[in-house]
Amino acid sequence: MSNHEKKGGQVPQPDLSRRRFLGAAGAGAAVAASGGVAFAQGKPDPLITEIQDWNRYLGDSVAAHPYGKPSKFEAHVVRRDVEWLTASRESSINFTPIHALDGIITPNGVCFERHHGGAPEIDPSKHRLMINGLVDKPLVFTMEDLKRFPGRTNKIFFLECAANGGMEWKGAQLNGCQFTHGMIHNVMYTGIPLKVLLDEAGVKTNGKWVMPEGADSAAMTRSIPIEKAMKDCMVVWAMNGEALRQEQGYPLRIVVPGWEGNMWVKWLRRLEVGDQPWHHREETSKYTDLLADGRARRFTWIMDAKSIVTNPSPQAPLKSKGPNVLSGLAWSGRGTITRVDVTIDGGKNWVAARLDGPVLPLSLTRFYADIEWDGREMLIQSRAMDDTGYLQPTKDELRKVRGVNSIYHNNGIQTWLVRANGETENVEIS
Amino acid sequence: MSKFRKVLALALFAGLAASPAIAKKVGLGREALPEEVAAWDTDVRPDGAGLPPGKGSVKEGEALFLEKCASCHGEFGEAVGRWPVLVGGQGTLKGESPEKTPGSYWPFASTTFDYIKRAMPYGNARSLSDDEVYAITAFLLQMNGIVKDDFVLSKENFTSVKMPNVGNFYDDDRETTEKAFWNKNPCMKDCKKEAKVTGHARVIDVTPEDGKGVKVE
């Protein structure tokens, strides 16, 4: 069977786990899976034999939670930030708890945030969108106008900050995939194609670039080539079925599928059409990739294929020997994930993971590998391939061509060391 | 078919039939007035497009910088704490700790003007007059050794300012220079002899000593 044919199948466990582990001296004595923590050998479980409060008394009324929140037992599943990373928390970043999520959709309340001047609170009745520049007729829309446009559509896309993993160029630094890979989210957007609005204004023949601008105090601007703007960009007001969250651009943002998150301008108030790029701050001094020779790449818009094992990971260690589910996410800004390979021996041997759930272009893709763990150390990695044949490189391969000062676009293969006690660490390997 | 349905069907059909050829206008929104466009369209390009009338001297800029910028960026642009450094950094771009300032890195002076006008001072954006933005830009250029002490920056002479690092940017070429990453048949078995841990995140954890971590831009 070729590698490619393995895609979608079960991981052939003997290759990677049982043979390797059981072959070693003493491994045969590995402790069996532990089972429930409170379960005393041979005695009945009081959680079963005794009537529990929730089984006797009434629960919350339907009026208790007009807008529902996750169970209090999930209170640890939150965005987190690293205070020392930035000078101000209004121009800063927090991270999606990807180690505690499953499937491909990120819940709205934990989608990572990146603001350059804080997240403004904008009354939608006071929000305006202007289109000007090289158009036949400059236009102004209210939110109500936008929601009346024909051609409304729903699309699922990942949004990844170009600096996701940016702290890891010089070596393993942050312990947790929330921090190393959590500048990403994946939601379903509702809105209209940007093309619909540009056509309404009428782009002049010399209109080659579109510049979205935010209404916030940073007034973010980026230059987008007209081909991309007309191809698949969207102007959206909803995510996962409800209005955009304030921190995600309420009431309006632009969606630039597959391209770096910085371009997805939030609190979108203006679209200017021009014949040249603007070379503004976020596409010159920032979001350009400094290479080892001192020169810098600019307009590196596409997010390269990437993957990460979210479980186990430093914040989600292994707790029991025996069967375990290795789980992760893969994505590519060039198209659709066709395959994810995983290794538990630091890249000596790989097997194809199982892609599960919708496998969509420019979206997060969930993968699983069902493993049998006998308690020996593992070096876990994943590598993604997309439908252009791009294969996620190792960190060293990436450093060889880019040096270590790029900050942005670090899509190198991540390694987790799983220790005998299940504790998991961010490491670099040879 | 009821009369209403027939009308609806016709309306839908008409809508569909009209869509291909030249995009039919939906007719939503209204024309933007020149004053409205002027209020929001403040962006400036490297060729000078978008620059407002006005001027400002290095000397005026120094006074303004001390008053409005130095509390974060430092009196000499050296930065306070983790705020952006605005001066120096020349010759560091190939080194271990590149310092990317307008003087060492930014390719165009227009970027400085545009950014100060749209987003500075931090927390009080759009509070500077155009002359003040010209003056602060002039002072930043002077501190970076790009213009002389007596320079007066204006709409007229703006494009004569050349930034030292302008030649060191080039467009994304990953699809050619990183062609090796396209590999449809990666190794699956016995791919390497050993895999040894060479570094741990534990050394620098998520709660390192204050200010010792790397910067996020």
Side-chain angles (χ1 to χ4, degrees):
Chain A
M1 188 164 68
S2 77
N3 294 335
H4 201 69
E5 286 170 316
K6 277 185 191 166
K7 183 188 80 173
Q10 288 270 317
V11 172
Q13 292 170 5
D15 279 0
L16 273 181
S17 50
R18 210 164 281 145
R19 188 179 65 195
R20 175 174 173 250
F21 298 147
L22 298 186
V31 184
S34 62
V37 182
F39 181 67
Q41 202 75 35
K43 290 197 176 152
D45 185 349
L47 285 170
I48 294 171
T49 56
E50 290 171 15
I51 293 165
Q52 304 297 313
D53 284 356
W54 57 84
N55 187 216
R56 171 163 290 154
Y57 306 116
L58 298 177
D60 289 346
S61 85
V62 293
H65 308 288
Y67 194 99
K69 282 185 179 173
S71 160
K72 69 176 182 184
F73 302 105
E74 300 297 320
H76 58 288
V77 183
V78 289
R79 295 182 286 225
R80 294 182 192 279
D81 71 330
V82 179
E83 198 178 350
W84 53 263
L85 275 177
T86 50
S88 147
R89 275 177 153 168
E90 285 74 35
S91 179
S92 193
I93 185 100
N94 63 22
F95 304 89
T96 307
I98 51 174
H99 63 290
L101 304 175
D102 215 327
I104 64 165
I105 295 294
T106 315
N108 287 341
V110 291
C111 288
F112 86 96
E113 301 168 67
R114 181 19 167 167
H115 318 308
H116 295 74
E121 192 168 50
I122 301 174
D123 178 343
S125 71
K126 294 180 179 169
H127 191 72
R128 302 287 182 270
L129 175 67
M130 180 187 290
I131 303 184
N132 73 303
L134 297 175
V135 292
D136 297 331
K137 188 177 172 185
L139 294 171
V140 171
F141 303 102
T142 63
M143 287 303 298
E144 274 186 35
D145 293 335
L146 295 171
K147 290 180 180 178
R148 289 168 62 204
F149 262 96
R152 188 184 301 184
T153 184
N154 292 279
K155 298 264 169 57
I156 296 173
F157 295 117
F158 77 81
L159 182 164
E160 184 184 19
C161 176
N164 200 16
M167 290 81 80
E168 305 283 314
W169 275 105
K170 291 181 180 172
Q173 176 157 230
L174 303 175
N175 247 335
C177 67
Q178 179 169 15
F179 304 103
T180 57
H181 291 75
M183 294 187 207
I184 191 161
H185 58 65
N186 199 61
V187 306
M188 183 168 74
Y189 295 98
T190 306
I192 46 177
L194 175 56
K195 181 181 188 303
V196 168
L197 291 179
L198 292 173
D199 284 346
E200 186 71 8
V203 174
K204 295 194 167 162
T205 50
N206 57 338
K208 300 296 179 202
W209 295 81
V210 177
M211 185 190 70
E213 179 181 77
D216 61 315
S217 70
M220 176 69 62
T221 44
R222 289 293 303 255
S223 304
I224 301 173
I226 193 79
E227 295 78 17
K228 177 69 175 176
M230 290 294 196
K231 185 183 164 200
D232 59 2
C233 290
M234 293 171 71
V235 170
V236 305
W237 52 82
M239 57 194 289
N240 290 336
E242 63 178 3
L244 291 173
R245 291 292 171 94
Q246 177 179 338
E247 65 271 28
Q248 303 300 338
Y250 181 85
L252 197 67
R253 92 176 303 170
I254 188 170
V255 165
V256 189
W259 289 19
E260 59 190 21
N262 182 258
M263 307 179 83
W264 300 45
V265 170
K266 300 187 278 194
W267 314 291
L268 179 70
R269 75 166 190 184
R270 195 165 70 92
L271 294 158
E272 183 172 345
V273 179
D275 59 353
Q276 294 172 31
W278 282 262
H279 295 285
H280 279 178
R281 178 180 184 263
E282 308 297 324
E283 51 201 10
T284 54
S285 83
K286 311 293 174 191
Y287 303 96
T288 48
D289 311 341
L290 181 60
L291 302 184
D293 65 0
R295 297 189 305 148
R297 275 193 197 123
R298 67 181 173 201
F299 302 152
T300 47
W301 302 306
I302 294 175
M303 299 309 294
D304 291 314
K306 189 166 172 181
S307 67
I308 177 68
V309 172
T310 54
N311 305 84
S313 62
Q315 297 158 288
L318 282 184
K319 290 188 175 139
S320 306
K321 292 166 191 170
N324 275 287
V325 179
L326 188 155
S327 173
L329 292 165
W331 60 96
S332 170
R334 288 193 178 81
T336 306
I337 291 296
T338 52
R339 158 179 166 183
V340 178
D341 302 323
V342 296
T343 175
I344 60 170
D345 59 13
K348 291 179 200 161
N349 299 288
W350 298 82
V351 290
R354 174 167 57 90
L355 307 185
D356 186 81
V359 178
L360 301 167
L362 312 178
S363 163
L364 291 189
T365 297
R366 176 62 62 178
F367 66 86
Y368 297 113
D370 304 311
I371 62 166
E372 190 77 25
W373 183 53
D374 76 344
R376 299 199 64 193
E377 274 195 5
M378 293 189 282
L379 289 168
I380 294 180
Q381 298 178 326
S382 63
R383 71 178 176 204
M385 187 189 287
D386 68 21
D387 58 357
T388 71
Y390 181 99
L391 183 74
Q392 184 183 0
T394 65
K395 286 187 176 177
D396 283 340
E397 283 170 337
L398 211 53
R399 289 177 184 129
K400 212 172 279 176
V401 294
R402 299 202 194 154
V404 294
N405 289 331
S406 285
I407 300 175
Y408 307 105
H409 295 283
N410 182 354
N411 69 319
I413 291 172
Q414 173 68 43
T415 310
W416 301 130
L417 163 66
V418 180
R419 294 186 182 280
N421 61 2
E423 196 178 297
T424 302
E425 249 184 82
N426 175 9
V427 297
E428 294 264 340
I429 60 168
S430 57
Chain B
M1 195 185 267
S2 74
K3 198 175 171 190
F4 172 73
R5 279 194 172 185
K6 255 185 204 164
V7 171
L8 185 66
L10 282 172
L12 282 172
F13 179 74
L16 288 174
S19 59
I22 296 168
K24 188 174 167 258
K25 303 299 179 188
V26 181
L28 287 167
R30 62 166 175 84
E31 187 155 6
L33 301 175
E35 306 92 296
E36 294 172 329
V37 173
W40 279 5
D41 184 356
T42 67
D43 48 84
V44 177
R45 285 196 323 206
D47 62 358
L51 280 170
K55 62 177 171 27
S57 69
V58 168
K59 204 175 163 209
E60 290 158 346
E62 181 173 16
L64 286 162
F65 190 88
L66 288 174
E67 183 194 336
K68 296 173 185 287
C69 317
S71 62
C72 294
H73 293 295
E75 284 182 29
F76 306 98
E78 77 282 11
V80 174
R82 298 180 71 78
W83 295 100
V85 176
L86 299 181
V87 171
Q90 284 89 344
T92 66
L93 297 183
K94 294 181 199 173
E96 266 189 31
S97 305
E99 197 73 76
K100 295 190 275 186
T101 74
S104 68
Y105 193 66
W106 297 34
F108 303 108
S110 59
T111 310
T112 313
F113 186 98
D114 176 90
Y115 185 68
I116 294 170
K117 184 166 164 76
R118 75 174 51 250
M120 289 290 116
Y122 188 69
N124 191 21
R126 295 178 192 267
S127 59
L128 300 168
S129 71
D130 290 338
D131 282 350
E132 288 175 326
V133 178
Y134 276 110
I136 294 169
T137 305
F139 181 58
L140 279 176
L141 294 169
Q142 185 271 339
M143 279 200 291
N144 278 292
I146 296 163
V147 300
K148 293 195 172 133
D149 298 0
D150 59 355
F151 189 71
V152 179
L153 184 65
S154 67
K155 178 180 158 83
E156 288 69 35
N157 69 7
F158 200 99
T159 55
S160 70
V161 176
K162 300 292 176 226
M163 301 296 268
N165 198 45
V166 63
N168 289 324
F169 288 83
Y170 58 98
D171 290 351
D172 188 5
D173 63 352
R174 283 175 290 176
E175 303 210 347
T176 51
T177 54
E178 298 183 358
K179 215 169 190 170
F181 295 162
W182 275 264
N183 172 14
K184 287 187 179 171
N185 293 297
C187 176
M188 297 297 283
K189 241 181 152 21
D190 303 322
C191 302
K192 55 186 185 185
K193 282 223 169 74
E194 62 167 23
K196 278 203 166 158
V197 173
T198 56
H200 291 259
R202 285 191 150 187
V203 179
I204 315 172
D205 217 321
V206 292
T207 50
E209 293 168 66
D210 189 41
K212 289 284 171 64
V214 293
K215 279 188 200 174
V216 159
E217 302 241 316

